[in-house]
Amino acid sequence: ASFPGAVAAVMGVTFPTFLIVIVLSLFYLYFNDNPKVEAALKGIHGAVVALILMAAYRMLKTSVFDAATAFVSIAALMFLFANINPLYIIVCGLLGGIVLIQMKRLMGLKTNTEKTSSEAQKPEPVYLEYYI
């Protein structure tokens, strides 16, 4: 449905999560001094870290497929640990990727932007996931 369909799809995916976060934030502001709420949030912290690590692992498996993508991934991680604004890292990665692809094309090298289907892929185990 063109642009209106794209807007509707993005809103349908992001708006419910946005509302949930707003409601949870309001409850947190109201109950933030409650010791039981603080204890529950400390317990949830470990689960959130595990979910983030699992998402990073799954992205790593699908996005790192040659030396260039490995280099960009390692460089981005180093810049994140150096406390550089993630927005700058994303923009630099975007521009660097465009330059890299154009340079490879000019040199006559093969330019892959995703893993080829010829690579043998084992079936991935199914994990219970929660997206917030």
Side-chain angles (χ1 to χ4, degrees), residues 98-116:
I98 291 170
V99 168
L100 180 67
I101 292 293
Q102 293 304 322
M103 286 177 44
K104 280 185 168 183
R105 286 184 180 158
L106 286 174
M107 295 170 55
L109 298 174
K110 187 176 181 182
T111 56
N112 291 331
T113 56
E114 59 186 36
K115 282 188 177 179
T116 59

Side-chain angles (χ1 to χ4, degrees), residues 23-44:
V23 169
L24 288 175
S25 298
L26 291 174
F27 277 117
Y28 177 73
L29 288 175
Y30 185 71
F31 293 110
N32 65 346
D33 294 331
N34 188 329
K36 291 182 180 180
V37 171
E38 289 179 18
L41 289 176
K42 284 183 183 178
I44 291 171

